Amino acid sequence: AQSVTQLDSQVPVFEEAPVELRCNYSSSVSVYLFWYVQYPNQGLQLLLKYLSGSTLVESINGFEAEFNKSQTSFHLRKPSVHISDTAEYFCAVSDAGGFKTIFGAGTRLFVKA
Amino acid sequence: DTEVTQTPKHLVMGMTNKKSLKCEQHMGHRAMYWYKQKAKKPPELMFVYSYEKLSINESVPSRFSPECPNSSLLNLHLHALQPEDSALYLCASSQEAGATYNEQFFGPGTRLTVL
């Protein structure tokens, strides 16, 4: 069975500082990995995904994540955060051929001025 | 059009009421999903429809009844709900279920309150 662990429930950080949101997964099969972001009172939006190929994936708004198979991790990073990045971030995993996406518990990123 | 729309945005209902949530997408996606999300929790999968057929029911109580009238529409019929069913109900769609490109597109959700 697959599972996703987000190690931090909340991450407070000052504006323009770097941030890392941690995600570990467990699965016995090939997986696809996702980061979704949820702004207050909204649905989830895909931030980035790893399906195959290059282990470093980037989003259009400066986030990146690196798939590390040996450490079963898919941590999300941004070198300089903005106030507008304040949101809930969910790491998710689905297996190849699976119908389900399993979400982690979420990490609340709070960017302070 | 890369949007999933949901109506209504907010719904307040009594325990004896019958109501329906509606979800629509026009991206040609063949998989549609219902999730329930409680405050400060991740979305919990309720149902998956693939090619208009129910593929997954995550042991959801029968007071929730999904319906997929066509490939663009997904409904969730509600009857005799309990206060603990109050939550944000999210609809999502993806190109196909069980495929490599199963990135899901989410609607904004319906905030349901059961009195």
Side-chain angles (χ1 to χ4, degrees):
Chain A
Q2 302 162 69
S3 67
V4 179
T5 303
Q6 291 184 245
L7 297 162
D8 306 294
S9 60
Q10 292 185 79
V11 174
V13 63
F14 284 103
E15 194 174 20
E16 299 183 7
V19 71
E20 179 180 79
L21 306 184
R22 295 179 292 169
C23 172
N24 287 90
Y25 69 93
S26 68
S27 176
S28 58
V29 299
S30 296
V31 296
Y32 303 117
L33 294 159
F34 307 85
W35 276 99
Y36 287 86
V37 59
Q38 186 174 31
Y39 298 102
N41 300 311
Q42 293 187 27
L44 280 70
Q45 303 171 33
L46 181 72
L47 196 57
L48 44 75
K49 61 186 176 187
Y50 171 78
L51 302 181
S52 65
S54 172
T55 57
L56 185 66
V57 290
E58 298 177 355
S59 73
I60 58 173
N61 55 354
F63 283 94
E64 64 178 32
E66 185 158 19
F67 171 61
N68 188 318
K69 189 174 181 180
S70 62
Q71 297 187 7
T72 60
S73 67
F74 190 54
H75 301 333
L76 182 70
R77 301 185 186 95
K78 189 170 185 181
S80 176
V81 294
H82 303 289
I83 298 282
S84 59
D85 292 323
T86 293
E88 190 83 23
Y89 292 78
F90 292 99
C91 182
V93 61
S94 69
D95 60 39
F99 278 57
K100 294 185 193 181
T101 296
I102 308 297
F103 289 88
T107 296
R108 172 125 175 95
L109 175 62
F110 179 57
V111 182
K112 301 178 283 187
Chain B
D1 183 359
T2 58
E3 202 177 45
V4 176
T5 59
Q6 289 188 245
T7 54
K9 287 191 174 175
H10 301 274
L11 178 63
V12 179
M13 59 187 290
M15 289 190 283
T16 58
N17 293 156
K18 282 186 182 181
K19 297 285 184 184
S20 296
L21 310 184
K22 180 180 170 182
C23 172
E24 197 163 1
Q25 58 88 13
H26 295 287
M27 295 178 277
H29 289 173
R30 304 317 300 263
M32 295 186 78
Y33 310 76
W34 279 116
Y35 288 87
K36 174 183 177 180
Q37 187 181 25
K38 300 285 266 184
K40 301 187 189 305
K41 296 289 186 185
E44 298 172 35
L45 183 65
M46 300 174 73
F47 303 103
V48 179
Y49 272 83
S50 179
Y51 289 88
E52 300 159 50
K53 288 187 168 44
L54 184 64
S55 299
I56 293 180
N57 176 341
E58 290 287 278
S59 303
V60 179
S62 59
R63 58 185 184 269
F64 294 92
S65 175
E67 179 197 20
C68 191
N70 59 57
S71 60
S72 300
L73 273 175
L74 186 66
N75 297 320
L76 186 62
H77 303 297
L78 314 172
H79 173 55
L81 294 193
Q82 304 296 311
E84 60 264 28
D85 296 321
S86 298
L88 182 68
Y89 287 84
L90 294 165
C91 174
S93 70
S94 67
Q95 194 167 347
E96 297 212 10
T100 58
Y101 29 87
N102 55 356
E103 163 194 344
Q104 293 182 30
F105 291 77
F106 283 82
T110 293
R111 177 78 58 191
L112 173 67
T113 302
V114 182
L115 301 176

